[in-house]
Amino acid sequence: MRKKDSQDVLRKRVIIQSLIFLGIVLFFVFVALHFTFSSGLTQYVERNEFMFGTIVRLVVASEKRDPRIIMDAMVREMRRIERKFNPYVEDSIIYRINHAGGQWVEVDEETIFVLKKALYYSKKTGGAFDPVLGRLIVLWGFNDINASKHVPSDEELQAALKQSGWVKLEISGRHVRVDEGAWIDLGGIVKGYAVDQAVRMAKDMDDTTTGFVDAGGDIGIIGPKFGRYPWKIGIRDPRGGQDDIVGVIYLSNGAVATSGDYERYFEENGVRYHHILDPKTGYPARKAISVTVIGEKLVDADALSTAIFVLGWGPAIEGFEADGYQVMLIDTEGVIHETQGFEYFKKSR
Ligand code: ADP
Ligand code: MG
């Protein structure tokens, strides 16, 4: 009996040891398979679409769904937003507000959200960000890539300035109005909002989706490369060629926006006239040639990059850093200024 007992114990021990061994082997096989499938075999699919007057590049991978289906939805969402907020097409909501003769117009929550954001940045930047510059933008021809562009006369500029200014825009509950003759133009913020929405859509459709959306230098990250590595993003040299950069940053999530005087401009008598206007003068802003802002959401980084382009490097920047944004500005002398925390993003980690 004793002998049988001890044999049983021995057998049990062998079985348990085998099971543990098998468990360990299975664990390693699982880990190996997991990494193979989540890295080596993950395929990024790329697509370029012309939207918001620029080439929008989508790079997307997903473990559960066909990235092409996700990209279809993202592009559809961005086109919806582009149409809805385009002040120069007749059926858009902004067109309706602009042509309501100063009357209150009832709008949806999304419109309120974007307009409130715009006004928030107008107040925060002392009017450097101004969503009611439509008249000036049209006068300069920056609303239309095909418009012939020239420097407007002083009278024309003064007239357009009188019909501009964020204080002419009012929001009350779900109602909006703008003074008669003044035009809202959300070109400095709506691309950022559209990218945020596309990123959110990609994540909602499948939480394993990774990749990014690059709307002409305004970039929203969906998730890190292969779920692990930061994306390397070049910051364009504003006086170099298409592929020249002044530096790189690494982002695993969040957003980065760049406003430059090289994106849309014309030259007259050797002077460059570009599409970011100083709301005080009506002329293109002259305190920077490129501004990059890193933040959580692109809607904020986009508005801030435009505003800081107008403000130039100065004490206000500290406030933006305290709010969680990092800024790099290249001034007209070509000198690069950076907030302290910007350095963090220059290293891959
Ligand atoms: P991009 O669209 O090239 O990325 P921005 O984000 O800086 O550049 O937006 C520029 C656009 O913002 C202009 O085309 C115009 O529609 C609008 N805009 C120009 N000046 C201002 C300003 N001071 N405040 C708000 N929006 C502006
Ligand atoms: Mg902007």
Side-chain angles (χ1 to χ4, degrees):
M1 268 316 254
R2 276 246 178 100
K3 201 172 176 198
K4 195 156 189 278
D5 267 359
S6 69
Q7 268 181 351
D8 269 358
V9 168
L10 202 66
R11 203 174 299 139
K12 265 186 197 152
R13 198 183 290 158
V14 168
I15 289 172
I16 288 169
Q17 278 174 346
S18 308
L19 280 176
I20 290 173
F21 180 71
L22 194 69
I24 291 170
V25 169
L26 278 176
F27 173 76
F28 280 110
V29 168
F30 174 78
V31 168
L33 279 177
H34 175 77
F35 279 114
T36 313
F37 281 102
S38 65
S39 59
L41 296 184
T42 301
Q43 290 289 323
Y44 277 96
V45 181
E46 210 177 309
R47 184 184 294 181
N48 291 298
E49 293 276 336
F50 191 80
M51 294 185 274
F52 295 98
T54 189
I55 305 279
V56 178
R57 183 165 161 243
L58 298 102
V59 174
V60 175
S62 152
E63 287 172 27
K64 297 187 201 150
R65 297 184 75 159
D66 182 347
R68 275 163 285 253
I69 307 248
I70 295 174
M71 287 196 291
D72 284 345
M74 293 168 77
V75 170
R76 227 178 299 123
E77 174 70 353
M78 291 184 77
R79 289 207 185 281
R80 176 188 72 78
I81 294 166
E82 181 184 27
R83 236 188 340 264
K84 176 170 176 176
F85 292 99
N86 182 346
Y88 311 111
V89 296
E90 283 195 20
D91 60 347
S92 82
I93 184 69
I94 302 300
Y95 183 94
R96 278 212 292 128
I97 303 167
N98 285 349
H99 294 86
Q103 297 300 305
W104 288 95
V105 178
E106 188 173 0
V107 299
D108 64 340
E109 287 292 349
E110 184 179 47
T111 307
I112 295 289
F113 172 82
V114 178
L115 288 174
K116 273 196 175 162
K117 268 276 179 214
L119 279 188
Y120 172 82
Y121 283 107
S122 299
K123 287 174 192 155
K124 196 151 179 91
T125 62
F129 185 86
D130 194 332
V132 193
L133 291 185
R135 288 283 180 181
L136 280 163
I137 289 159
V138 171
L139 179 61
W140 283 95
F142 289 124
N143 57 311
D144 179 358
I145 355 177
N146 300 315
S148 75
K149 295 175 181 55
H150 65 95
V151 180
S153 71
D154 253 359
E155 296 80 66
E156 286 175 314
L157 270 171
Q158 290 315 316
L161 269 172
K162 275 207 194 88
Q163 292 181 306
S164 302
W166 62 274
V167 290
K168 295 183 164 58
L169 170 61
E170 286 180 277
I171 303 172
S172 172
R174 286 271 295 268
H175 290 77
V176 177
R177 67 169 291 282
V178 67
D179 284 3
E180 187 166 14
W183 287 347
I184 299 166
D185 181 311
L186 298 171
I189 192 169
V190 84
K191 196 164 48 156
Y193 173 69
V195 170
D196 282 346
Q197 285 296 108
V199 166
R200 189 156 92 184
M201 182 149 274
K203 286 181 180 169
D204 281 354
M205 287 177 78
D206 171 9
D207 56 9
T208 69
T209 311
T210 60
F212 62 86
V213 183
D214 179 354
D218 286 359
I219 299 165
I221 308 288
I222 306 165
K225 195 173 188 174
F226 303 129
R228 278 181 291 164
Y229 307 110
W231 293 99
K232 186 177 174 182
I233 296 160
I235 298 172
R236 206 173 130 177
D237 176 354
R239 291 294 175 267
Q242 200 80 37
D243 296 322
D244 294 322
I245 55 170
V246 289
V248 293
I249 58 164
Y250 296 87
L251 276 188
S252 291
N253 46 54
V256 57
T258 297
S259 288
D261 71 353
Y262 51 86
E263 285 171 68
R264 262 177 284 161
Y265 70 92
F266 65 91
E267 273 174 18
E268 202 172 291
N269 300 322
V271 181
R272 179 186 295 232
Y273 297 93
H274 60 82
H275 71 316
I276 302 169
L277 304 177
D278 183 341
K280 286 210 179 90
T281 63
Y283 278 92
R286 292 287 179 220
K287 289 185 178 159
I289 59 175
S290 171
V291 175
T292 297
V293 176
I294 302 172
E296 221 19 72
K297 290 271 180 283
L298 196 55
V299 66
D300 300 286
D302 188 7
L304 271 177
S305 71
T306 307
I308 295 170
F309 194 103
V310 174
L311 290 171
W313 192 259
I317 306 284
E318 266 176 43
F320 303 136
E321 185 169 22
D323 288 343
Y325 301 96
Q326 298 304 330
V327 184
M328 185 188 108
L329 178 148
I330 307 178
D331 69 21
T332 42
E333 311 282 302
V335 179
I336 299 180
H337 307 260
E338 288 169 4
T339 48
Q340 281 185 351
F342 198 89
E343 190 69 26
Y344 175 89
F345 295 96
K346 290 190 190 164
K347 293 188 196 85
S348 174
R349 43 192 100 221

